Each structure stands twice: as C-alpha cells, then as structure tokens.
Amino acid sequence: MLKPIRKSMETEQPIHWKRVHDLDDFVYFDHQSHINNGVGCESCHGRVDQMPLTRQAKPLTMQWCLDCHRDPGDRLRPADKITTMGYDLKKDNLSGKELIQHYHIDTDQLSQCYTCHR
Amino acid sequence: MKRTDFSHLRRQLANKQGREYWRCLEELADSEHFRTFLTQEFPRFRPLWDSHLSRRNALKLMAASMALAGISACGRQPEEELVPYVNQPEHVVPGKPTHYATASVIGGYGHGLLAESHEGRPTKLEGNPEHPATLGACDIYSQASVLSLYDPDRSDSVMHGGNASSYDSLLAELANKQHDWDKTQGKGLALLTGAVTSPSQYARLRQLFERWPRATWHVHEPVDRSAVYAGTEQLFGQPLEAVYDFSTARIILSLDADFMQGQPGFLRYAHDFSTGRRPRDTDQSLNRLYTIESTPGITGAVADHRFPLAYPHIEMLARRLARFLDIQITDPDAIVEAPWLEAIARDLDRHHGAAVVVPGDQQPAAVHALAHAINHRLNAFGNTVHFIEPVDVAHQAQPLETLVESMKNRQVQDLIVLDANPAYTAPADLDFASAYRHVPWQLHWGNYYDETARLSRWHVPATHPLESWADVSAHDGTVSLIQPLIEPLHDGKTVLQILTAITEGKNRKPRELLRDYWHDRHEGNGFEQFWWRSLNEGLVADTAAAYMTPQPRHDWQKQLPSARPARQTGSVILQLRPDPALWDGRYANNGWLQELPRPLTKLTWDNALVIAPALAESHNLAEGDMVRLQVGQQTLEIPVYILPGQPADAVTMHLGHGRSHAGRIAEGVGSNAYALRNSQQRWATPVSLSATGRQQPLAVTQQHHAIEGRDLLRVGTVSDYRQNPGFAQSHEPQESLYPESWPAVPESDHAWGMVVDLSACIGCNACVTACQAENNIPIVGAEEVRHGHEMHWIRVDRYFEGPLDTPRMAFQPVPCMHCENAPCEYVCPVAATQHSADGLNEMIYNRCIGTRYCSQNCPYKVRRFNWFDYTSAEADYPAEPAVQNPDVTVRSRGVMEKCTYCVQRINATRNKADAENRPIRDGELMTACQQACPTSAIVFGDLADQHSEVSRLREHPLNYAMLSELNTRPRTTYLAAVRNPNPEIEEF
C-alpha cells in the first residue's frame, strides 16, 4: 500500500494527492491556531484511524464552523490529547469553560467575519 | 470644456477669509462641468450603458441572469491536487512566508530590502531596517519592482539579428572576438553602461580594461548626475559626493533639489528631515525648509516657504545668495525678482553649523559649486553635509556624446551596451539610433527586448535583481549583497556573468562569481562567517565611505562660468524632469507605477505638459488642450495640465513616456520628452508653444471623491500651535442618531486605530504602492481612471491654499476610517459590511452583491467597486497570479472593496502571539502603508493599550477626526500639520 510513497522517495517525484478537505478560496484557515487552542484533529477530520480511504467526515460548511466558533467549549481538549482519536472530555472530568480559560480563548473574536474571511 | 476664467479665480482667492483649501482649479471655479461630474450620484457612478435599452431586452437579460445565477450557485468546488515537497526544505512551512535580505537598485544606488517569499515566490518587499538608505521604509520603485519580476513582456531569449538564438552561440562568437581584441588591444571596442556602484562589477570592468587598454568606457544615465561631480570638482579640485545629514539641520534650503524623491538617499533624507519637524516627537523648535523649485515637487509641497523659479534662474539666485553671505563672486547680470532672498540668507547665517543648502542633481555644476561654497561659509561641512569619494564610479567614464562622435566617425567596431537604452533615452540631437547602426557589432544586455535591443546584433536577457547575485552601494557607500529569491525565470544572466563571458568566454555560475570577488577582497580568516553574515544582514559591515574634509580651492570663483545672459522676455523655457513614477522610462511597463497618481498633478498613465495658470491664461488654454512644442527642428504634440505653483515662464515635461518597444502596458502611453532633449542643455531649453485646437482627456484622479467646503485638512503654524496647541480640535457632537450607547463599550481585548501625522506626510506615494502590493489591488487602465474607477485603497489628497500662482500645498492620505458608527454598515441590504469587536469595519466579499449603497453612504469616499473584471486573464490589464499575496482574496467583478487595516497582518500577528502565549507587542504589528512610510507619518496600533504609540498620539492636542461632526467616530484620525514659516517673510 505504501509503494507509491517509497517510489516517490526514490525518484524524488512528489505524489499528487487528491485534496479531500477543500475550503473555498475566500476562507482562511490556520491549523496552528486550532491545534494550539485545543481543537483535536478528530473534530474536523473525523475518525481517520477508521478510514481505509480518507473521506470528508464533517460538512465543513460555514454553519458547521460557526457552531463551534460560537461555542467551542465542549469541543476542546488538553494539549496532549490533540491527536487522540475517540477522546471524550467528560471522562477526563474537564469542563469546556475551564479549557477556554486555560487557552485564553477570546470567544467574542471567534465569530467575527474577519477571523476567517478577508 | 469651458475655459477657466483666471482673473475671476484670482479675485475669488483674494476675497477668501482665513485658510481655505482647494484641490483643483475646476473645484475652485465651481464650474458647471465639475458640478455635473460630482452630482452624478457620486463621481464614480457613470451610466455604464449609454445605449437605449428596450423593455424586451431588459426582460431577456433578467431571464438570463436568473438562469445563470441558478447555475453558478450549484455544485462543489473543482477537484484540487496537493503536491507536497518530497524533501521538505528546512525552515519552510507551507503557508508561512520567509524573509530574506536583499537590495534593489534605484538610479544605480542600493536600497536595502527584506523580501517576503511564499514557497519560493517573492510577493512583497519591505525596507531593511538595518540599511542606512531605507531604515525599514520602502520607495515606490523598489516596491513595484516585484511586479516587474513577473512581467510577461520581459525578454526571455538571447536574440541574434532579430531571431532567437542561444547563449552558447554568443559565447562561441565572443571567443573569436576576444582574439581580435587581443590583437588590437581593444581598439574599436566600446562599453556603454549606466551608473556603476557595484564593487564586483567595477572589478570586472577594470579587468576588462587592463586586458584591452584601448577599449573605451562611456556612461549614459538619462537622469545624469554629472553636474554633482563637475560642481565639486570646480570647488574642491576633485569630484566628490555630498551626503547630507538632515537630522542635525535646522534650516534647509533646497535649490531645485527634490531630495525627498529624486536624489540618491532620498528615503533616508525624508526620514531624517521629518524627525526634525514632527511636533508629536519634539518639544524643541521645528526645522525649517525653504524650497526654490522649477517644477512643483514634493520637496516644495512640504516646505515652509516655496518659491517657483524657472530652471535657468536658479543659478542667478544662488549667485545672489552667495553674495548676501559675503562670498566674493561677480554679480550676476540677470537680476531675478526675489525680495525674500535676503531673509533666507539671514536665517541661514543665524544657524551656522545647523544650516544646509542642497543643490538639485539636475542643476548645472555652478549651482553645486556655489551651494557648497555657501555650505562651507555656513560651517555645514562635517555637521549637516559630509563629503565622500563618488559612489558612482562611472563618473570617470566618457559621456555619451563622445561615443556617438566616434560611432559616426566609424571608430567603433564593437559596442557593448549594459543595462542602458540609449536608442530611447539619448537626447534627440545626437541621433543615437542612426549612429548605432554604423557599428558593425553590438551586444545589448538588458531586461527587455527594448528600443536599443532591437537595433543590436546580439541581445542577452538580464536577470531581475530578485533573480540576481550581485552587490550595490548606497548613497553613503554602504555595500549590500543582492541575493536571489527565485531562479531566473527567463534564463537571464547577471552583470557579472555577462562581463565574465566577455572577458573569459565562459558561462560561470552567478553565485560563484560574486563569492569569488568577496573572497579575494576579504582579509584574514572567517570568510564563511563574513559571507553568511553579510547575506543575512543585507549589508557588508563597515563599508560606508569615510568622510573627507575637503577645502575650497583659493581660486574656485574663477572656475565658475560667467553668468549667463538674461533670457529674452516672452520666450518660454521647456524643463525636463524625471517622472515621479516612471523615472527615466525604465519602469514604464509596470502597471502599478503607470497608474500611480503623481504626487502633485494626480495624473496617471499619460504625461502632460505642466503649465502655470498665468501661461494658460495668456495662451487661452484649458486642461487637456493639445499644444505643439518646437525645439529647434523637433516638434511634439502634448496635452497641457495647469498646475498652480508652476513658474509662469517655464513649462515642464516628464521623461519616461512614449515608449515604442517597452511592452504591452507602456506602449502608446504619453509622449516622449527625449524627442525634445538637447545634449547641450539637457534639463532646460527654450521652446515655442502653439495651441493646436485639439483636445485629449487626461486620466487625473484629483477631482474624484472631492468633498467641497468641509474642514478636512487642518494646518497651522508653529505660533498657532504654541498659542493654542488644540487649534485643530473641533466640538464633538453630543447627541447621536446612531443606536449604540455612547461612548461604545469595548467588546474585545484590542481596539485597532490609526493616526496619520500630516506634519510628517510628504506625499511620496510609498503607502499607495505598498498597499497595492500587499492587498492585491488591480490596475484598471487610463480609460477606467478617467471614469473615476481607480482601485487604490489609500489615496493621497493634494490641497492648495492661497494665491493661484504661488499656492501653499499639503497632502492628506485617506484610507478607510473604520468608523465606529460606520454609515456604510447601516445601508448594506445583505450585511456584507460589518463591524468587528476590535473595531474593524469588515468587508465580506463573498456576501457582497454590488448594490454600492455603502459607497454612496460613505462620507469619506474610500470604498472601491469592481465595475469590471480587473484581475482575471481576460481583463484588459490581467493581474499576474504569481505576484498576488496568498493571504488576501483576489476580488472579482461586482464586489465592493476597501482598506481592511491589513487584517491579514493582524490575524497573522495575533496567531503568532497566541502560539507564543504572549500579548501583541506595540509596534510589532504594522500595516503595509505604515511599514513603507519613510517619515513615520502613519502610526497603527491598539487603542485599548493605554501605553501604545497610537493611544499617545490620539491624546495629542493636534489630533482631530475628519468630519467628526457627522458622529461617525472614525478610528483613523489625523494630527494637524504644523508649519514653521519665517516670520520675516510675509507670506504665510
């Protein structure tokens, strides 16, 4: 299954990946600020560990983005659990409010148009 | 167009009470034409369809748009591919730009830069804060050069006799040539270059002339500075370069010197000059600038006293000034009316050691000798002016005239032209092109297959500075290394490569060539460290030239040419000037520069003959009237532009227009002033002028967005300011039509705001170009500009005040005000413009449906509408995709846009601070306009931070808001300009 990757390394020819998660060009998304503020991979990409072929698991619509931007609390997780699949905040006895404070998230800022569009 | 009644205007101005500003003659005259222009909803709304539209057609179109709207709304995005690096380079994070130090070459002199690169693609240039010539600012030419890098019209192939050829065939031919030159010691070989400030290039040239000592070196720089060296030679006995220190100067006199826009070191000079005149930073007395100039320029516009004087009279004035200061020279026989001169002389005399006289580069040698003799008398040497060895080593080369002479006498067999375009830029009387054809073998090296290249046997494409390994010296001698940001796009060669090919017949790697030179030059160990440090810092440490202590020769007065006879009355002088955007024409194919409104005329695209109102009156001319100019046998037709402040007996034409082979953007734009140029009198020559009766509309932006009769610009004198520091304050309204609580409760940690200091603004347009590069602003073309459809997000308004013939001038940059009570937001039917918690007036392109209500309701007229498709490949002037900033949306047709306070930079800085878990530091976040500004006139920051610079300035007594009576509560405010006129001169 990894043959194309080995071949790419050998021949130094990059692989042309099919883009699965494609936002519109007028949407500006920054991985760094999501990861640094406690948004896990799973939240947007789904259970990649259970996908034989990667697919888009979440709608990635503006409504869906805003749902989280307006109320991120319960979707956050501690920094060491970002890549964990199947994480549950409640099992860790953590509350979203605490995490918002922990990450210093300015929730007013999150739903501004310019946060994603410019 | 109706003629302007000038006597009526003069009467009107005489009756004005107090200080009233006007922007253009038509506004002043309140002409009917101007009123109609303004009241068509607003100027930019022009009926797009002049043709009659029937009911049937209207229904058809409606049906079609409904159908099309349905189609375009469906479906997913087209499938995209991701192609990552196989071996990811170190330090490269996709999506995050990297910065490298490099330099640009402006008129031969180096400006240190930091280039922003997105995955190997340079998109934006900033000044290098460590570099003495820029101090972090960026001029319009450097800024726009990134667009030229991607210019599809650049030369992309070696050409031989008009056909594409290869570099290898040239090398083979050069091998034979070298044999011939060895035999003759280079007799018949000539080199023509522009200014040479590159040490490595000079070393290569010396090698060449050592091997072939009978070869000759000629220099042709169309905006030549030979008078600078000739003048210092007259005075000191050796050619020297003057470096000014305006930070210590209190009294400055400019003798036709545009030292803030047109002389080497201009960014640094503008910076130093403005630090001494910002009341916000200094409690001490402000410096004072007198400008005597032949054509209104920015150095005159910001002066405390400005006197228009035709070019030939400036030497007379310098002579009289010298005599006032007890310098023994013969009295000039032509007496210039200058009742104010004695007061200037007294003011200079009172400030020994802190006064300086700056002669203009284009003024004759005598003015330079006189100016520096006065500087010597004023004890300026070592204080406000320093002398160094000439930075431009080409001053020792022979002029173009001797080359043309030899070419005509068939003494030149082989001619190598390096980065010069004499077929276009040579004075017309030399008839360079026909002499050039007499030369059996010509080699041209340059960026474009231009006028000269087309006449040459061989043409080799040059690399752009962003593709080059090279070096260059700044005005003070500091050497910068130029490192490439990208591999040559068109297989161009650097200057070292072409010189090596000529002397060695080899194609060597450009990096090796530069490194070898510096390796040979480096003394001691640690070359690697030296090399990497110099590349990293963008300059070679300790290379600024040593100051010299020259003394005037005891008999220098004898070197002065006798004063020229008085001009016959009635004739008009034609003055030529470098264009404030195209320079000598080398930037003509750059759309950003073509469409840049020139500082004083606000003209874009075509050039015009600048004439004084008095001359327009006596010749019965109106703006856009075509006139025929005749100098000797040469004639030219050109529209006129009436500019208050122009000397009445002189007209001015700017160089750089009327190119025939420059590329798709430049061709057919403007008239070629070189066609009237005379090699004996390069900068001024008598001309006869006659009206043709025809007209040509000009693409002028000054009347667009005029907001008459309101107190937009506030200017006072130092004494006004001392008596009442808050003279610019106006009463804020206490009642509001707007629904918010008063004052508004801050919702966010930040409150972004901007203060523009009108004392510091010099109107140089650096902000406009920087904004264009940062925010992907398209160019629209002359036709669209004439309709008022220009797209610049920040405009620099120019104001006149006072008498028609000698008005005072002022500039006011106007970006979006980001009003807290933004009138635009209330009228948008689709909520495409919104207010953010931190105070930004947001513009959401993907929501905008183009009603333009927002623009209609904006009292500042800062919103721009995409009337047509200005960006795609089908546009008239397609935007080059590679140069676009990937962090900013490229707007499509039918969408409103405006200044965003560079929100992409705000977001990037906020994300960075967030990742590093720290607050945003004051000064860390700069808008593009602020960063490029050489005079720190624009200050941006967080108003919620009480210790930020912008909060401090907001509390300054000079702070005022434009149209504050409307209760829009703008976040962009102004510091009123403070001028420091001499009370002895009854003028202000």
Side-chain angles (χ1 to χ4, degrees):
Chain A
M1 198 169 84
L2 292 176
K3 198 176 158 199
I5 294 176
R6 289 196 203 94
K7 197 175 159 216
S8 162
M9 295 294 282
E10 272 164 32
T11 56
E12 301 222 328
Q13 290 299 312
I15 298 177
H16 288 235
W17 298 92
K18 285 242 162 58
R19 191 166 190 150
V20 175
H21 296 91
D22 191 8
L23 295 175
D24 289 282
D25 288 351
F26 49 80
V27 182
Y28 290 83
F29 177 86
D30 189 78
H31 272 106
Q32 188 186 32
S33 26
H34 285 84
I35 293 163
N36 279 333
N37 287 297
V39 182
C41 305
E42 190 190 347
S43 304
C44 308
H45 294 286
R47 293 297 298 266
V48 182
D49 57 332
Q50 296 169 1
M51 289 181 200
L53 185 65
T54 315
R55 60 189 163 76
Q56 184 180 321
K58 307 282 166 149
L60 303 189
T61 56
M62 180 161 153
Q63 183 63 58
W64 178 82
C65 291
L66 270 175
D67 280 347
C68 185
H69 271 220
R70 284 180 177 142
D71 180 20
D74 292 340
R75 280 102 166 170
L76 302 179
R77 46 178 84 188
D80 58 344
K81 297 288 190 307
I82 297 292
T83 54
T84 309
M85 290 288 152
Y87 178 75
D88 189 350
L89 193 62
K90 290 189 188 83
K91 283 185 190 155
D92 262 6
N93 273 333
L94 285 166
S95 84
K97 263 193 185 152
E98 279 173 52
L99 283 171
I100 288 180
Q101 278 175 2
H102 169 74
Y103 288 113
H104 305 294
I105 296 174
D106 179 0
T107 44
D108 263 358
Q109 188 63 50
L110 285 185
S111 50
Q112 304 300 315
C113 305
Y114 269 175
T115 303
C116 310
H117 304 291
R118 51 185 119 117
Chain B
M1 195 185 292
K2 216 175 129 257
R3 308 275 124 173
T4 312
D5 180 354
F6 287 97
S7 50
H8 169 69
L9 285 188
R10 289 209 173 81
R11 276 197 308 277
Q12 231 181 351
L13 282 170
N15 290 337
K16 280 199 186 278
Q17 303 284 316
R19 196 162 287 141
E20 278 191 45
Y21 287 88
W22 37 284
R23 276 187 185 151
C24 64
L25 294 173
E26 287 182 313
E27 181 179 7
L28 188 63
D30 203 15
S31 73
E32 201 174 321
H33 174 77
F34 185 68
R35 290 227 144 257
T36 326
F37 183 73
L38 271 184
T39 49
Q40 291 173 344
E41 179 185 330
F42 52 95
R44 288 176 293 139
F45 184 43
R46 178 185 69 99
L48 284 174
W49 283 8
D50 295 333
S51 60
H52 177 71
L53 185 67
S54 67
R55 180 174 162 274
R56 195 183 167 82
N57 278 339
L59 286 173
K60 265 193 219 166
L61 282 167
M62 271 171 69
S65 15
M66 291 293 271
L68 289 170
I71 291 165
S72 66
C74 308
R76 286 175 63 84
Q77 296 227 75
E79 227 171 56
E80 279 180 28
E81 282 189 338
L82 290 173
V83 186
Y85 292 103
V86 179
N87 297 306
Q88 175 120 346
E90 241 183 311
H91 312 305
V92 170
V93 182
K96 303 264 178 220
T98 41
H99 292 82
Y100 296 91
T102 183
S104 64
V105 185
I106 306 301
Y109 291 75
H111 280 197
L113 299 175
L114 297 180
E116 180 177 318
S117 171
H118 288 269
E119 283 99 54
R121 182 167 57 82
T123 59
K124 178 81 173 66
L125 301 171
E126 307 290 356
N128 179 353
E130 311 295 322
H131 193 271
T134 63
L135 298 177
C138 191
D139 61 286
I140 55 169
Y141 311 111
S142 302
Q143 191 68 257
S145 72
V146 68
L147 182 66
S148 296
L149 169 69
Y150 301 107
D151 187 348
D153 295 330
R154 276 177 62 191
S155 157
D156 57 1
S157 158
V158 174
M159 299 292 281
H160 181 218
N163 299 314
S165 179
S166 73
Y167 197 56
D168 287 335
S169 5
L170 173 68
L171 289 177
E173 188 162 325
L174 279 172
N176 293 332
K177 284 282 169 194
Q178 285 157 14
H179 276 293
D180 298 347
W181 295 331
D182 280 338
K183 278 184 218 150
T184 60
Q185 289 191 310
K187 187 167 186 297
L189 170 64
L191 246 80
L192 181 67
T193 68
V196 177
T197 68
S198 153
S200 59
Q201 186 187 347
Y202 186 41
R204 283 276 158 193
L205 283 170
R206 277 199 313 262
Q207 266 177 23
L208 189 150
F209 290 113
E210 268 163 35
R211 178 160 169 198
W212 301 308
R214 296 180 72 182
T216 53
W217 180 13
H218 302 266
V219 62
H220 175 54
E221 190 66 48
V223 183
D224 81 306
R225 304 183 68 240
S226 54
V228 174
Y229 305 117
T232 42
E233 186 151 19
Q234 278 177 19
L235 185 66
F236 304 119
Q238 59 173 324
L240 294 174
E241 186 111 43
V243 178
Y244 302 95
D245 185 355
F246 292 106
S247 62
T248 56
R250 311 308 311 155
I251 305 293
I252 301 150
L253 169 64
S254 152
L255 294 175
D256 207 15
D258 200 4
F259 64 82
M260 286 193 256
Q261 188 145 57
Q263 293 189 197
F266 62 89
L267 277 180
R268 173 61 183 264
Y269 292 162
H271 170 273
D272 288 354
F273 167 74
S274 77
T275 48
R277 77 186 280 112
R278 291 195 298 256
R280 72 183 209 225
D281 289 335
T282 173
D283 276 339
Q284 294 160 359
S285 65
L286 307 181
N287 61 18
R288 180 176 292 150
L289 171 64
Y290 300 96
T291 301
I292 295 160
E293 60 182 0
S294 59
T295 303
I298 63 171
T299 308
V302 300
D304 299 301
H305 292 282
R306 176 188 177 280
F307 304 102
L309 201 61
Y311 177 96
H313 293 173
I314 288 180
E315 184 184 330
M316 305 302 152
L317 192 92
R319 285 171 189 263
R320 279 186 64 197
L321 180 68
R323 283 174 62 86
F324 275 131
L325 291 164
D326 300 331
I327 295 171
Q328 299 305 315
I329 52 164
T330 51
D331 200 18
D333 47 359
I335 298 300
V336 182
E337 284 287 316
W340 27 266
L341 190 61
E342 207 171 339
I344 296 179
R346 277 198 302 272
D347 207 10
L348 289 169
D349 212 12
R350 276 196 296 269
H351 291 83
H352 273 243
V356 65
V357 179
V358 189
D361 279 359
Q362 282 84 49
Q363 281 290 323
V367 174
H368 288 262
L370 286 162
H372 292 311
I374 295 169
N375 282 332
H376 184 250
R377 168 83 180 66
L378 294 172
N379 195 21
F381 287 17
N383 291 314
T384 51
V385 59
H386 303 278
F387 289 94
I388 59 175
E389 291 273 1
V391 175
D392 175 11
V393 289
H395 77 276
Q396 47 187 291
Q398 299 174 49
L400 183 69
E401 287 87 332
T402 53
L403 175 66
V404 173
E405 193 64 33
S406 324
M407 289 198 296
K408 282 184 181 154
N409 298 335
R410 318 275 162 133
Q411 289 162 341
V412 180
Q413 311 306 319
D414 305 299
L415 177 58
I416 297 164
V417 181
L418 297 179
D419 201 19
N421 185 12
Y424 165 70
T425 58
D429 62 322
L430 293 181
D431 198 8
F432 180 87
S434 68
Y436 194 59
R437 289 200 186 91
H438 292 163
V439 179
W441 189 88
Q442 315 99 333
L443 169 63
H444 174 264
W445 172 83
N447 253 309
Y448 288 88
Y449 193 53
D450 58 19
E451 292 85 343
T452 309
R454 274 161 210 267
L455 301 176
S456 306
R457 195 178 178 87
W458 284 96
H459 162 77
V460 179
T463 50
H464 186 276
L466 289 168
E467 305 167 330
S468 302
W469 285 100
D471 50 16
V472 65
S473 309
H475 68 293
D476 67 345
T478 304
V479 180
S480 290
L481 299 186
I482 297 177
Q483 61 174 326
L485 270 286
I486 192 169
E487 281 275 315
L489 295 169
H490 305 297
D491 201 23
K493 303 291 173 225
T494 68
V495 69
L496 294 181
Q497 277 183 301
I498 193 81
L499 284 172
T500 312
I502 292 162
T503 49
E504 295 174 17
K506 278 189 243 157
N507 184 19
R508 289 185 51 199
K509 288 197 171 121
R511 180 173 181 272
E512 266 173 38
L513 288 169
L514 184 69
R515 218 179 117 92
D516 287 356
Y517 166 77
W518 284 98
H519 194 268
D520 291 347
R521 189 170 148 169
H522 186 73
E523 286 164 12
N525 298 326
F527 173 74
E528 280 299 314
Q529 200 189 356
F530 159 82
W531 171 254
W532 287 105
R533 200 182 66 204
S534 306
L535 282 179
N536 182 48
E537 290 174 1
L539 52 91
V540 185
D542 306 322
T543 42
Y547 291 153
M548 304 168 72
T549 49
Q551 288 297 319
R553 294 200 293 202
H554 67 278
D555 62 343
W556 70 270
Q557 287 95 333
K558 289 188 191 135
Q559 305 288 322
L560 277 183
S562 54
R564 268 181 253 154
R567 198 171 44 80
Q568 305 120 328
T569 49
S571 73
V572 175
I573 298 288
L574 171 70
Q575 307 172 137
L576 301 178
R577 301 284 282 192
D579 189 90
L582 307 183
W583 195 239
D584 57 6
R586 72 183 68 184
Y587 306 118
N589 208 45
N590 188 308
W592 292 352
L593 292 173
Q594 282 281 7
E595 198 160 296
L596 188 65
R598 308 305 191 265
L600 270 295
T601 58
K602 295 292 157 196
L603 262 171
T604 63
W605 296 90
D606 302 283
N607 60 345
L609 185 74
V610 177
I611 64 172
L615 194 78
E617 193 177 6
S618 61
H619 285 66
N620 193 26
L621 292 169
E623 183 183 305
D625 282 359
M626 295 288 280
V627 291
R628 184 180 295 109
L629 295 176
Q630 183 160 13
V631 177
Q633 299 304 310
Q634 313 285 344
T635 62
L636 188 96
E637 286 188 16
I638 184 169
V640 300
Y641 179 91
I642 304 166
L643 181 60
Q646 172 79 4
D649 50 353
V651 295
T652 299
M653 201 174 158
H654 289 103
L655 302 174
H657 295 257
R659 298 279 309 260
S660 56
H661 295 290
R664 276 163 277 189
I665 288 181
E667 269 161 40
V669 177
S671 323
N672 180 4
Y674 291 107
L676 297 179
R677 206 173 194 198
N678 181 312
S679 58
Q680 299 307 308
Q681 295 166 296
R682 287 183 178 229
W683 298 107
T685 173
V687 68
S688 65
L689 183 145
S690 54
T692 63
R694 283 191 297 282
Q695 289 207 326
Q696 183 187 316
L698 294 169
V700 183
T701 63
Q702 64 176 357
Q703 304 148 352
H704 309 162
H705 325 294
I707 315 168
E708 50 191 312
R710 299 177 199 175
D711 191 13
L712 307 178
L713 178 78
R714 296 175 196 171
V715 181
T717 62
V718 170
S719 58
D720 294 342
Y721 175 55
R722 297 270 183 250
Q723 278 165 24
N724 174 18
F727 71 88
Q729 304 281 341
S730 51
H731 291 289
E732 300 287 322
Q734 293 303 313
E735 283 174 279
S736 174
L737 285 173
Y738 295 97
E740 297 102 329
S741 55
W742 170 266
V745 186
E747 303 165 59
S748 164
D749 297 346
H750 303 290
W752 304 116
M754 182 183 275
V755 174
V756 182
D757 186 350
L758 300 179
S759 294
C761 177
I762 57 170
C764 68
N765 275 336
C767 48
V768 181
T769 323
C771 178
Q772 188 144 27
E774 174 74 19
N775 292 306
N776 300 339
I777 293 172
I779 55 165
V780 297
E783 179 68 17
E784 285 291 280
V785 173
R786 275 193 281 274
H787 297 145
H789 294 174
E790 68 272 9
M791 296 301 288
H792 298 130
W793 285 2
I794 181 170
R795 64 173 195 267
V796 182
D797 284 340
R798 169 223 55 193
Y799 287 91
F800 296 110
E801 184 249 324
L804 192 60
D805 303 298
T806 55
R808 287 169 289 277
M809 304 165 190
F811 296 110
Q812 183 173 37
V814 186
C816 173
M817 297 287 137
H818 291 271
C819 311
E820 289 174 10
N821 287 329
C824 52
E825 290 169 10
Y826 292 97
V827 292
C828 180
V830 294
T833 183
Q834 298 255 323
H835 220 76
S836 80
D838 46 12
L840 300 183
N841 173 239
E842 304 169 313
M843 181 65 223
I844 314 304
Y845 309 122
N846 40 312
R847 266 189 192 167
C848 177
I849 57 166
T851 63
R852 311 187 304 282
Y853 295 167
C854 53
S855 181
Q856 155 80 350
N857 217 32
C858 173
Y860 306 98
K861 292 289 164 266
V862 291
R863 287 176 160 263
R864 303 286 176 270
F865 186 64
N866 288 275
W867 290 92
F868 296 99
D869 174 9
Y870 296 131
T871 46
S872 78
E874 287 77 39
D876 285 351
Y877 297 94
E880 183 52 57
V883 78
Q884 305 287 35
N885 183 353
D887 295 329
V888 177
T889 307
V890 178
R891 284 79 60 187
S892 54
R893 183 171 61 93
V895 170
M896 190 61 77
E897 58 183 75
K898 51 138 216 130
C899 160
T900 63
Y901 270 169
C902 285
V903 67
Q904 66 281 5
R905 292 184 175 211
I906 297 178
N907 285 358
T909 312
R910 192 171 45 217
N911 289 348
K912 186 160 178 273
D914 180 52
E916 292 167 12
N917 210 0
R918 59 171 174 80
I920 297 174
R921 289 185 289 264
D922 187 35
E924 176 185 7
L925 172 54
M926 284 201 272
T927 60
C929 51
Q930 174 188 19
Q931 192 163 6
C933 179
T935 61
S936 310
I938 299 175
V939 177
F940 176 79
D942 188 358
L943 294 170
D945 172 5
Q946 291 181 352
H947 305 288
S948 68
E949 176 71 356
V950 74
S951 298
R952 182 179 80 84
L953 297 185
R954 221 43 200 199
E955 295 304 313
H956 197 278
L958 286 172
N959 180 68
Y960 76 94
M962 205 198 265
L963 299 179
S964 61
E965 65 273 23
L966 301 180
N967 195 28
T968 50
R969 282 189 278 153
R971 278 282 169 90
T972 304
T973 57
Y974 293 90
L975 295 186
V978 175
R979 299 272 191 257
N980 182 22
N982 183 350
E984 287 179 44
I985 300 176
E986 276 297 317
E987 201 246 343
F988 210 94

